Amino acid sequence: MKALSYTPTVLWFLDWSDMDASLDCIALLGLGLSTFVLLTGCANMIIMSLLWILYHSLVNVGQIW
């Protein structure tokens, strides 16, 4: 729990042996949800919360280049 509060990300709950696939899936899920919102104009609280969680999951594990 201490690590989750320091770096909140859904990657803590996924398999660490195939991290590239996990990162790709998070990015593709975010792309799919945002495309759905863009095309339909239907943005409810659940979809926007999922997009926010996915965004913060990628931002919090990223490093300075």
PDB file of all heavy atoms in Angstrom, residues 19-59:
ATOM      1  N   MET A  19       5.950  -6.466 -19.166  1.00  0.00           N
ATOM      2  CA  MET A  19       5.594  -5.066 -18.945  1.00  0.00           C
ATOM      3  C   MET A  19       5.307  -4.326 -20.244  1.00  0.00           C
ATOM      4  O   MET A  19       4.436  -3.462 -20.283  1.00  0.00           O
ATOM      5  CB  MET A  19       6.714  -4.369 -18.178  1.00  0.00           C
ATOM      6  CG  MET A  19       6.375  -2.972 -17.742  1.00  0.00           C
ATOM      7  SD  MET A  19       4.878  -2.849 -16.737  1.00  0.00           S
ATOM      8  CE  MET A  19       5.369  -3.716 -15.296  1.00  0.00           C
ATOM      9  N   ASP A  20       6.007  -4.672 -21.328  1.00  0.00           N
ATOM     10  CA  ASP A  20       5.759  -3.995 -22.598  1.00  0.00           C
ATOM     11  C   ASP A  20       4.319  -4.201 -23.058  1.00  0.00           C
ATOM     12  O   ASP A  20       3.662  -3.255 -23.511  1.00  0.00           O
ATOM     13  CB  ASP A  20       6.721  -4.487 -23.669  1.00  0.00           C
ATOM     14  CG  ASP A  20       8.132  -3.996 -23.447  1.00  0.00           C
ATOM     15  OD1 ASP A  20       8.311  -2.969 -22.760  1.00  0.00           O
ATOM     16  OD2 ASP A  20       9.061  -4.635 -23.966  1.00  0.00           O
ATOM     17  N   ALA A  21       3.825  -5.402 -22.934  1.00  0.00           N
ATOM     18  CA  ALA A  21       2.445  -5.683 -23.337  1.00  0.00           C
ATOM     19  C   ALA A  21       1.454  -4.949 -22.431  1.00  0.00           C
ATOM     20  O   ALA A  21       0.430  -4.456 -22.904  1.00  0.00           O
ATOM     21  CB  ALA A  21       2.186  -7.185 -23.307  1.00  0.00           C
ATOM     22  N   SER A  22       1.752  -4.870 -21.153  1.00  0.00           N
ATOM     23  CA  SER A  22       0.866  -4.164 -20.221  1.00  0.00           C
ATOM     24  C   SER A  22       0.796  -2.678 -20.553  1.00  0.00           C
ATOM     25  O   SER A  22      -0.286  -2.084 -20.567  1.00  0.00           O
ATOM     26  CB  SER A  22       1.350  -4.344 -18.780  1.00  0.00           C
ATOM     27  OG  SER A  22       1.330  -5.679 -18.405  1.00  0.00           O
ATOM     28  N   LEU A  23       1.943  -2.070 -20.832  1.00  0.00           N
ATOM     29  CA  LEU A  23       1.964  -0.656 -21.201  1.00  0.00           C
ATOM     30  C   LEU A  23       1.237  -0.418 -22.525  1.00  0.00           C
ATOM     31  O   LEU A  23       0.510   0.574 -22.672  1.00  0.00           O
ATOM     32  CB  LEU A  23       3.400  -0.156 -21.286  1.00  0.00           C
ATOM     33  CG  LEU A  23       4.147  -0.046 -19.965  1.00  0.00           C
ATOM     34  CD1 LEU A  23       5.619   0.247 -20.220  1.00  0.00           C
ATOM     35  CD2 LEU A  23       3.537   1.002 -19.067  1.00  0.00           C
ATOM     36  N   ASP A  24       1.434  -1.323 -23.476  1.00  0.00           N
ATOM     37  CA  ASP A  24       0.727  -1.206 -24.752  1.00  0.00           C
ATOM     38  C   ASP A  24      -0.781  -1.322 -24.565  1.00  0.00           C
ATOM     39  O   ASP A  24      -1.545  -0.575 -25.182  1.00  0.00           O
ATOM     40  CB  ASP A  24       1.204  -2.263 -25.734  1.00  0.00           C
ATOM     41  CG  ASP A  24       2.596  -1.999 -26.267  1.00  0.00           C
ATOM     42  OD1 ASP A  24       3.068  -0.843 -26.141  1.00  0.00           O
ATOM     43  OD2 ASP A  24       3.211  -2.942 -26.801  1.00  0.00           O
ATOM     44  N   CYS A  25      -1.214  -2.244 -23.728  1.00  0.00           N
ATOM     45  CA  CYS A  25      -2.650  -2.421 -23.485  1.00  0.00           C
ATOM     46  C   CYS A  25      -3.262  -1.194 -22.821  1.00  0.00           C
ATOM     47  O   CYS A  25      -4.373  -0.777 -23.179  1.00  0.00           O
ATOM     48  CB  CYS A  25      -2.893  -3.655 -22.629  1.00  0.00           C
ATOM     49  SG  CYS A  25      -2.651  -5.196 -23.514  1.00  0.00           S
ATOM     50  N   ILE A  26      -2.553  -0.598 -21.871  1.00  0.00           N
ATOM     51  CA  ILE A  26      -3.055   0.616 -21.220  1.00  0.00           C
ATOM     52  C   ILE A  26      -3.182   1.743 -22.238  1.00  0.00           C
ATOM     53  O   ILE A  26      -4.195   2.455 -22.275  1.00  0.00           O
ATOM     54  CB  ILE A  26      -2.140   1.025 -20.052  1.00  0.00           C
ATOM     55  CG1 ILE A  26      -2.293   0.043 -18.904  1.00  0.00           C
ATOM     56  CG2 ILE A  26      -2.450   2.434 -19.576  1.00  0.00           C
ATOM     57  CD1 ILE A  26      -1.344   0.269 -17.758  1.00  0.00           C
ATOM     58  N   ALA A  27      -2.172   1.907 -23.085  1.00  0.00           N
ATOM     59  CA  ALA A  27      -2.209   2.964 -24.098  1.00  0.00           C
ATOM     60  C   ALA A  27      -3.327   2.721 -25.115  1.00  0.00           C
ATOM     61  O   ALA A  27      -4.052   3.650 -25.485  1.00  0.00           O
ATOM     62  CB  ALA A  27      -0.865   3.056 -24.800  1.00  0.00           C
ATOM     63  N   LEU A  28      -3.489   1.484 -25.559  1.00  0.00           N
ATOM     64  CA  LEU A  28      -4.540   1.174 -26.536  1.00  0.00           C
ATOM     65  C   LEU A  28      -5.936   1.303 -25.939  1.00  0.00           C
ATOM     66  O   LEU A  28      -6.870   1.740 -26.622  1.00  0.00           O
ATOM     67  CB  LEU A  28      -4.334  -0.223 -27.108  1.00  0.00           C
ATOM     68  CG  LEU A  28      -3.157  -0.355 -28.062  1.00  0.00           C
ATOM     69  CD1 LEU A  28      -2.952  -1.816 -28.459  1.00  0.00           C
ATOM     70  CD2 LEU A  28      -3.365   0.507 -29.291  1.00  0.00           C
ATOM     71  N   LEU A  29      -6.090   0.942 -24.678  1.00  0.00           N
ATOM     72  CA  LEU A  29      -7.380   1.111 -24.016  1.00  0.00           C
ATOM     73  C   LEU A  29      -7.730   2.591 -23.897  1.00  0.00           C
ATOM     74  O   LEU A  29      -8.873   2.994 -24.166  1.00  0.00           O
ATOM     75  CB  LEU A  29      -7.358   0.450 -22.640  1.00  0.00           C
ATOM     76  CG  LEU A  29      -8.654   0.452 -21.857  1.00  0.00           C
ATOM     77  CD1 LEU A  29      -9.752  -0.289 -22.612  1.00  0.00           C
ATOM     78  CD2 LEU A  29      -8.437  -0.184 -20.494  1.00  0.00           C
ATOM     79  N   GLY A  30      -6.755   3.412 -23.554  1.00  0.00           N
ATOM     80  CA  GLY A  30      -6.984   4.855 -23.503  1.00  0.00           C
ATOM     81  C   GLY A  30      -7.306   5.428 -24.865  1.00  0.00           C
ATOM     82  O   GLY A  30      -8.184   6.286 -25.001  1.00  0.00           O
ATOM     83  N   LEU A  31      -6.606   4.957 -25.885  1.00  0.00           N
ATOM     84  CA  LEU A  31      -6.879   5.405 -27.255  1.00  0.00           C
ATOM     85  C   LEU A  31      -8.290   5.015 -27.683  1.00  0.00           C
ATOM     86  O   LEU A  31      -9.018   5.815 -28.281  1.00  0.00           O
ATOM     87  CB  LEU A  31      -5.845   4.816 -28.206  1.00  0.00           C
ATOM     88  CG  LEU A  31      -6.004   5.160 -29.680  1.00  0.00           C
ATOM     89  CD1 LEU A  31      -5.749   6.639 -29.906  1.00  0.00           C
ATOM     90  CD2 LEU A  31      -5.070   4.319 -30.514  1.00  0.00           C
ATOM     91  N   GLY A  32      -8.680   3.791 -27.377  1.00  0.00           N
ATOM     92  CA  GLY A  32     -10.020   3.334 -27.742  1.00  0.00           C
ATOM     93  C   GLY A  32     -11.112   4.114 -27.034  1.00  0.00           C
ATOM     94  O   GLY A  32     -12.106   4.512 -27.653  1.00  0.00           O
ATOM     95  N   LEU A  33     -10.937   4.332 -25.733  1.00  0.00           N
ATOM     96  CA  LEU A  33     -11.951   5.095 -24.983  1.00  0.00           C
ATOM     97  C   LEU A  33     -12.038   6.537 -25.465  1.00  0.00           C
ATOM     98  O   LEU A  33     -13.132   7.086 -25.620  1.00  0.00           O
ATOM     99  CB  LEU A  33     -11.633   5.063 -23.493  1.00  0.00           C
ATOM    100  CG  LEU A  33     -11.981   3.797 -22.735  1.00  0.00           C
ATOM    101  CD1 LEU A  33     -11.446   3.861 -21.314  1.00  0.00           C
ATOM    102  CD2 LEU A  33     -13.473   3.570 -22.723  1.00  0.00           C
ATOM    103  N   SER A  34     -10.892   7.163 -25.714  1.00  0.00           N
ATOM    104  CA  SER A  34     -10.926   8.551 -26.171  1.00  0.00           C
ATOM    105  C   SER A  34     -11.497   8.670 -27.579  1.00  0.00           C
ATOM    106  O   SER A  34     -12.191   9.638 -27.894  1.00  0.00           O
ATOM    107  CB  SER A  34      -9.537   9.175 -26.095  1.00  0.00           C
ATOM    108  OG  SER A  34      -8.640   8.479 -26.920  1.00  0.00           O
ATOM    109  N   THR A  35     -11.254   7.675 -28.432  1.00  0.00           N
ATOM    110  CA  THR A  35     -11.851   7.675 -29.765  1.00  0.00           C
ATOM    111  C   THR A  35     -13.358   7.519 -29.684  1.00  0.00           C
ATOM    112  O   THR A  35     -14.109   8.182 -30.404  1.00  0.00           O
ATOM    113  CB  THR A  35     -11.238   6.554 -30.626  1.00  0.00           C
ATOM    114  OG1 THR A  35      -9.830   6.740 -30.689  1.00  0.00           O
ATOM    115  CG2 THR A  35     -11.821   6.547 -32.016  1.00  0.00           C
ATOM    116  N   PHE A  36     -13.812   6.654 -28.774  1.00  0.00           N
ATOM    117  CA  PHE A  36     -15.247   6.487 -28.566  1.00  0.00           C
ATOM    118  C   PHE A  36     -15.895   7.803 -28.133  1.00  0.00           C
ATOM    119  O   PHE A  36     -16.940   8.195 -28.654  1.00  0.00           O
ATOM    120  CB  PHE A  36     -15.496   5.400 -27.515  1.00  0.00           C
ATOM    121  CG  PHE A  36     -16.926   5.261 -27.109  1.00  0.00           C
ATOM    122  CD1 PHE A  36     -17.833   4.618 -27.927  1.00  0.00           C
ATOM    123  CD2 PHE A  36     -17.378   5.786 -25.909  1.00  0.00           C
ATOM    124  CE1 PHE A  36     -19.164   4.489 -27.565  1.00  0.00           C
ATOM    125  CE2 PHE A  36     -18.696   5.679 -25.532  1.00  0.00           C
ATOM    126  CZ  PHE A  36     -19.602   5.023 -26.359  1.00  0.00           C
ATOM    127  N   VAL A  37     -15.252   8.502 -27.200  1.00  0.00           N
ATOM    128  CA  VAL A  37     -15.793   9.786 -26.732  1.00  0.00           C
ATOM    129  C   VAL A  37     -15.785  10.808 -27.861  1.00  0.00           C
ATOM    130  O   VAL A  37     -16.739  11.567 -28.034  1.00  0.00           O
ATOM    131  CB  VAL A  37     -14.992  10.297 -25.512  1.00  0.00           C
ATOM    132  CG1 VAL A  37     -15.356  11.726 -25.175  1.00  0.00           C
ATOM    133  CG2 VAL A  37     -15.218   9.397 -24.311  1.00  0.00           C
ATOM    134  N   LEU A  38     -14.715  10.821 -28.660  1.00  0.00           N
ATOM    135  CA  LEU A  38     -14.617  11.784 -29.754  1.00  0.00           C
ATOM    136  C   LEU A  38     -15.685  11.548 -30.817  1.00  0.00           C
ATOM    137  O   LEU A  38     -16.325  12.492 -31.299  1.00  0.00           O
ATOM    138  CB  LEU A  38     -13.232  11.701 -30.396  1.00  0.00           C
ATOM    139  CG  LEU A  38     -12.966  12.639 -31.559  1.00  0.00           C
ATOM    140  CD1 LEU A  38     -12.926  14.075 -31.071  1.00  0.00           C
ATOM    141  CD2 LEU A  38     -11.679  12.264 -32.253  1.00  0.00           C
ATOM    142  N   LEU A  39     -15.919  10.295 -31.179  1.00  0.00           N
ATOM    143  CA  LEU A  39     -16.861   9.991 -32.256  1.00  0.00           C
ATOM    144  C   LEU A  39     -18.313  10.085 -31.823  1.00  0.00           C
ATOM    145  O   LEU A  39     -19.173  10.511 -32.597  1.00  0.00           O
ATOM    146  CB  LEU A  39     -16.571   8.607 -32.822  1.00  0.00           C
ATOM    147  CG  LEU A  39     -15.239   8.446 -33.549  1.00  0.00           C
ATOM    148  CD1 LEU A  39     -15.054   7.013 -34.004  1.00  0.00           C
ATOM    149  CD2 LEU A  39     -15.148   9.409 -34.715  1.00  0.00           C
ATOM    150  N   THR A  40     -18.612   9.667 -30.618  1.00  0.00           N
ATOM    151  CA  THR A  40     -20.009   9.650 -30.173  1.00  0.00           C
ATOM    152  C   THR A  40     -20.409  10.898 -29.401  1.00  0.00           C
ATOM    153  O   THR A  40     -21.593  11.219 -29.331  1.00  0.00           O
ATOM    154  CB  THR A  40     -20.289   8.428 -29.290  1.00  0.00           C
ATOM    155  OG1 THR A  40     -19.503   8.503 -28.111  1.00  0.00           O
ATOM    156  CG2 THR A  40     -20.007   7.137 -30.039  1.00  0.00           C
ATOM    157  N   GLY A  41     -19.446  11.571 -28.809  1.00  0.00           N
ATOM    158  CA  GLY A  41     -19.770  12.730 -27.977  1.00  0.00           C
ATOM    159  C   GLY A  41     -20.366  12.334 -26.646  1.00  0.00           C
ATOM    160  O   GLY A  41     -20.883  13.168 -25.924  1.00  0.00           O
ATOM    161  N   CYS A  42     -20.304  11.066 -26.327  1.00  0.00           N
ATOM    162  CA  CYS A  42     -20.873  10.542 -25.089  1.00  0.00           C
ATOM    163  C   CYS A  42     -19.756  10.384 -24.057  1.00  0.00           C
ATOM    164  O   CYS A  42     -19.008   9.415 -24.094  1.00  0.00           O
ATOM    165  CB  CYS A  42     -21.549   9.202 -25.359  1.00  0.00           C
ATOM    166  SG  CYS A  42     -22.183   8.408 -23.888  1.00  0.00           S
ATOM    167  N   ALA A  43     -19.629  11.347 -23.175  1.00  0.00           N
ATOM    168  CA  ALA A  43     -18.600  11.291 -22.134  1.00  0.00           C
ATOM    169  C   ALA A  43     -19.291  11.349 -20.774  1.00  0.00           C
ATOM    170  O   ALA A  43     -19.763  12.393 -20.358  1.00  0.00           O
ATOM    171  CB  ALA A  43     -17.635  12.451 -22.284  1.00  0.00           C
ATOM    172  N   ASN A  44     -19.353  10.204 -20.123  1.00  0.00           N
ATOM    173  CA  ASN A  44     -19.934  10.202 -18.792  1.00  0.00           C
ATOM    174  C   ASN A  44     -18.822  10.119 -17.746  1.00  0.00           C
ATOM    175  O   ASN A  44     -17.638  10.051 -18.061  1.00  0.00           O
ATOM    176  CB  ASN A  44     -20.943   9.062 -18.630  1.00  0.00           C
ATOM    177  CG  ASN A  44     -20.333   7.708 -18.887  1.00  0.00           C
ATOM    178  OD1 ASN A  44     -19.132   7.549 -18.884  1.00  0.00           O
ATOM    179  ND2 ASN A  44     -21.188   6.719 -19.113  1.00  0.00           N
ATOM    180  N   MET A  45     -19.200  10.122 -16.492  1.00  0.00           N
ATOM    181  CA  MET A  45     -18.225  10.151 -15.402  1.00  0.00           C
ATOM    182  C   MET A  45     -17.379   8.884 -15.351  1.00  0.00           C
ATOM    183  O   MET A  45     -16.190   8.942 -15.033  1.00  0.00           O
ATOM    184  CB  MET A  45     -18.951  10.343 -14.070  1.00  0.00           C
ATOM    185  CG  MET A  45     -18.039  10.610 -12.914  1.00  0.00           C
ATOM    186  SD  MET A  45     -18.989  11.010 -11.465  1.00  0.00           S
ATOM    187  CE  MET A  45     -18.698   9.555 -10.492  1.00  0.00           C
ATOM    188  N   ILE A  46     -17.949   7.753 -15.698  1.00  0.00           N
ATOM    189  CA  ILE A  46     -17.219   6.488 -15.640  1.00  0.00           C
ATOM    190  C   ILE A  46     -16.105   6.465 -16.689  1.00  0.00           C
ATOM    191  O   ILE A  46     -14.955   6.121 -16.394  1.00  0.00           O
ATOM    192  CB  ILE A  46     -18.180   5.299 -15.821  1.00  0.00           C
ATOM    193  CG1 ILE A  46     -19.156   5.241 -14.661  1.00  0.00           C
ATOM    194  CG2 ILE A  46     -17.418   4.002 -15.953  1.00  0.00           C
ATOM    195  CD1 ILE A  46     -20.296   4.283 -14.853  1.00  0.00           C
ATOM    196  N   ILE A  47     -16.427   6.843 -17.914  1.00  0.00           N
ATOM    197  CA  ILE A  47     -15.436   6.841 -18.986  1.00  0.00           C
ATOM    198  C   ILE A  47     -14.335   7.856 -18.696  1.00  0.00           C
ATOM    199  O   ILE A  47     -13.142   7.553 -18.853  1.00  0.00           O
ATOM    200  CB  ILE A  47     -16.095   7.130 -20.349  1.00  0.00           C
ATOM    201  CG1 ILE A  47     -17.011   5.973 -20.746  1.00  0.00           C
ATOM    202  CG2 ILE A  47     -15.043   7.359 -21.429  1.00  0.00           C
ATOM    203  CD1 ILE A  47     -17.796   6.216 -22.003  1.00  0.00           C
ATOM    204  N   MET A  48     -14.703   9.032 -18.263  1.00  0.00           N
ATOM    205  CA  MET A  48     -13.694  10.047 -17.978  1.00  0.00           C
ATOM    206  C   MET A  48     -12.822   9.658 -16.788  1.00  0.00           C
ATOM    207  O   MET A  48     -11.622   9.928 -16.777  1.00  0.00           O
ATOM    208  CB  MET A  48     -14.371  11.406 -17.748  1.00  0.00           C
ATOM    209  CG  MET A  48     -15.116  11.915 -18.980  1.00  0.00           C
ATOM    210  SD  MET A  48     -14.167  11.892 -20.509  1.00  0.00           S
ATOM    211  CE  MET A  48     -13.136  13.294 -20.266  1.00  0.00           C
ATOM    212  N   SER A  49     -13.383   8.988 -15.808  1.00  0.00           N
ATOM    213  CA  SER A  49     -12.589   8.499 -14.672  1.00  0.00           C
ATOM    214  C   SER A  49     -11.609   7.425 -15.112  1.00  0.00           C
ATOM    215  O   SER A  49     -10.453   7.414 -14.676  1.00  0.00           O
ATOM    216  CB  SER A  49     -13.499   7.952 -13.578  1.00  0.00           C
ATOM    217  OG  SER A  49     -14.318   8.954 -13.055  1.00  0.00           O
ATOM    218  N   LEU A  50     -12.061   6.522 -15.980  1.00  0.00           N
ATOM    219  CA  LEU A  50     -11.163   5.498 -16.512  1.00  0.00           C
ATOM    220  C   LEU A  50     -10.021   6.120 -17.311  1.00  0.00           C
ATOM    221  O   LEU A  50      -8.868   5.697 -17.188  1.00  0.00           O
ATOM    222  CB  LEU A  50     -11.936   4.510 -17.382  1.00  0.00           C
ATOM    223  CG  LEU A  50     -12.786   3.483 -16.653  1.00  0.00           C
ATOM    224  CD1 LEU A  50     -13.617   2.692 -17.656  1.00  0.00           C
ATOM    225  CD2 LEU A  50     -11.908   2.552 -15.853  1.00  0.00           C
ATOM    226  N   LEU A  51     -10.335   7.109 -18.118  1.00  0.00           N
ATOM    227  CA  LEU A  51      -9.284   7.791 -18.876  1.00  0.00           C
ATOM    228  C   LEU A  51      -8.296   8.482 -17.949  1.00  0.00           C
ATOM    229  O   LEU A  51      -7.084   8.465 -18.178  1.00  0.00           O
ATOM    230  CB  LEU A  51      -9.897   8.799 -19.852  1.00  0.00           C
ATOM    231  CG  LEU A  51     -10.532   8.212 -21.096  1.00  0.00           C
ATOM    232  CD1 LEU A  51     -11.295   9.287 -21.857  1.00  0.00           C
ATOM    233  CD2 LEU A  51      -9.478   7.583 -21.974  1.00  0.00           C
ATOM    234  N   TRP A  52      -8.782   9.090 -16.880  1.00  0.00           N
ATOM    235  CA  TRP A  52      -7.915   9.765 -15.911  1.00  0.00           C
ATOM    236  C   TRP A  52      -7.009   8.758 -15.202  1.00  0.00           C
ATOM    237  O   TRP A  52      -5.810   9.003 -15.023  1.00  0.00           O
ATOM    238  CB  TRP A  52      -8.785  10.522 -14.910  1.00  0.00           C
ATOM    239  CG  TRP A  52      -8.002  11.315 -13.922  1.00  0.00           C
ATOM    240  CD1 TRP A  52      -7.396  12.520 -14.131  1.00  0.00           C
ATOM    241  CD2 TRP A  52      -7.759  10.954 -12.563  1.00  0.00           C
ATOM    242  NE1 TRP A  52      -6.787  12.913 -12.978  1.00  0.00           N
ATOM    243  CE2 TRP A  52      -6.998  11.990 -11.998  1.00  0.00           C
ATOM    244  CE3 TRP A  52      -8.120   9.874 -11.778  1.00  0.00           C
ATOM    245  CZ2 TRP A  52      -6.579  11.952 -10.678  1.00  0.00           C
ATOM    246  CZ3 TRP A  52      -7.704   9.854 -10.470  1.00  0.00           C
ATOM    247  CH2 TRP A  52      -6.946  10.883  -9.934  1.00  0.00           C
ATOM    248  N   ILE A  53      -7.560   7.611 -14.830  1.00  0.00           N
ATOM    249  CA  ILE A  53      -6.771   6.566 -14.160  1.00  0.00           C
ATOM    250  C   ILE A  53      -5.704   6.022 -15.102  1.00  0.00           C
ATOM    251  O   ILE A  53      -4.545   5.830 -14.710  1.00  0.00           O
ATOM    252  CB  ILE A  53      -7.696   5.445 -13.646  1.00  0.00           C
ATOM    253  CG1 ILE A  53      -8.524   5.944 -12.467  1.00  0.00           C
ATOM    254  CG2 ILE A  53      -6.907   4.209 -13.271  1.00  0.00           C
ATOM    255  CD1 ILE A  53      -9.650   5.016 -12.061  1.00  0.00           C
ATOM    256  N   LEU A  54      -6.076   5.765 -16.344  1.00  0.00           N
ATOM    257  CA  LEU A  54      -5.100   5.254 -17.316  1.00  0.00           C
ATOM    258  C   LEU A  54      -4.002   6.279 -17.586  1.00  0.00           C
ATOM    259  O   LEU A  54      -2.818   5.932 -17.672  1.00  0.00           O
ATOM    260  CB  LEU A  54      -5.805   4.874 -18.621  1.00  0.00           C
ATOM    261  CG  LEU A  54      -6.755   3.688 -18.546  1.00  0.00           C
ATOM    262  CD1 LEU A  54      -7.496   3.533 -19.866  1.00  0.00           C
ATOM    263  CD2 LEU A  54      -6.021   2.422 -18.184  1.00  0.00           C
ATOM    264  N   TYR A  55      -4.373   7.539 -17.682  1.00  0.00           N
ATOM    265  CA  TYR A  55      -3.395   8.600 -17.912  1.00  0.00           C
ATOM    266  C   TYR A  55      -2.404   8.677 -16.763  1.00  0.00           C
ATOM    267  O   TYR A  55      -1.183   8.703 -16.974  1.00  0.00           O
ATOM    268  CB  TYR A  55      -4.114   9.933 -18.102  1.00  0.00           C
ATOM    269  CG  TYR A  55      -3.200  11.124 -18.049  1.00  0.00           C
ATOM    270  CD1 TYR A  55      -2.355  11.418 -19.110  1.00  0.00           C
ATOM    271  CD2 TYR A  55      -3.170  11.952 -16.933  1.00  0.00           C
ATOM    272  CE1 TYR A  55      -1.507  12.510 -19.055  1.00  0.00           C
ATOM    273  CE2 TYR A  55      -2.329  13.034 -16.871  1.00  0.00           C
ATOM    274  CZ  TYR A  55      -1.495  13.313 -17.940  1.00  0.00           C
ATOM    275  OH  TYR A  55      -0.661  14.384 -17.881  1.00  0.00           O
ATOM    276  N   HIS A  56      -2.913   8.704 -15.546  1.00  0.00           N
ATOM    277  CA  HIS A  56      -2.029   8.805 -14.391  1.00  0.00           C
ATOM    278  C   HIS A  56      -1.202   7.542 -14.185  1.00  0.00           C
ATOM    279  O   HIS A  56      -0.106   7.605 -13.622  1.00  0.00           O
ATOM    280  CB  HIS A  56      -2.815   9.161 -13.131  1.00  0.00           C
ATOM    281  CG  HIS A  56      -3.062  10.625 -13.015  1.00  0.00           C
ATOM    282  ND1 HIS A  56      -2.082  11.500 -12.638  1.00  0.00           N
ATOM    283  CD2 HIS A  56      -4.151  11.367 -13.269  1.00  0.00           C
ATOM    284  CE1 HIS A  56      -2.571  12.724 -12.651  1.00  0.00           C
ATOM    285  NE2 HIS A  56      -3.822  12.668 -13.035  1.00  0.00           N
ATOM    286  N   SER A  57      -1.700   6.425 -14.640  1.00  0.00           N
ATOM    287  CA  SER A  57      -0.921   5.195 -14.550  1.00  0.00           C
ATOM    288  C   SER A  57       0.331   5.272 -15.425  1.00  0.00           C
ATOM    289  O   SER A  57       1.398   4.806 -15.034  1.00  0.00           O
ATOM    290  CB  SER A  57      -1.758   3.997 -14.977  1.00  0.00           C
ATOM    291  OG  SER A  57      -2.770   3.760 -14.042  1.00  0.00           O
ATOM    292  N   LEU A  58       0.197   5.859 -16.592  1.00  0.00           N
ATOM    293  CA  LEU A  58       1.353   5.981 -17.473  1.00  0.00           C
ATOM    294  C   LEU A  58       2.279   7.122 -17.060  1.00  0.00           C
ATOM    295  O   LEU A  58       3.499   7.004 -17.130  1.00  0.00           O
ATOM    296  CB  LEU A  58       0.903   6.181 -18.920  1.00  0.00           C
ATOM    297  CG  LEU A  58       0.203   4.985 -19.553  1.00  0.00           C
ATOM    298  CD1 LEU A  58      -0.286   5.340 -20.947  1.00  0.00           C
ATOM    299  CD2 LEU A  58       1.094   3.778 -19.584  1.00  0.00           C
ATOM    300  N   VAL A  59       1.715   8.224 -16.605  1.00  0.00           N
ATOM    301  CA  VAL A  59       2.529   9.375 -16.225  1.00  0.00           C
ATOM    302  C   VAL A  59       3.350   9.076 -14.981  1.00  0.00           C
ATOM    303  O   VAL A  59       4.519   9.447 -14.897  1.00  0.00           O
ATOM    304  CB  VAL A  59       1.635  10.619 -15.999  1.00  0.00           C
ATOM    305  CG1 VAL A  59       2.377  11.720 -15.297  1.00  0.00           C
ATOM    306  CG2 VAL A  59       1.086  11.105 -17.317  1.00  0.00           C
TER     307      VAL A  59
END
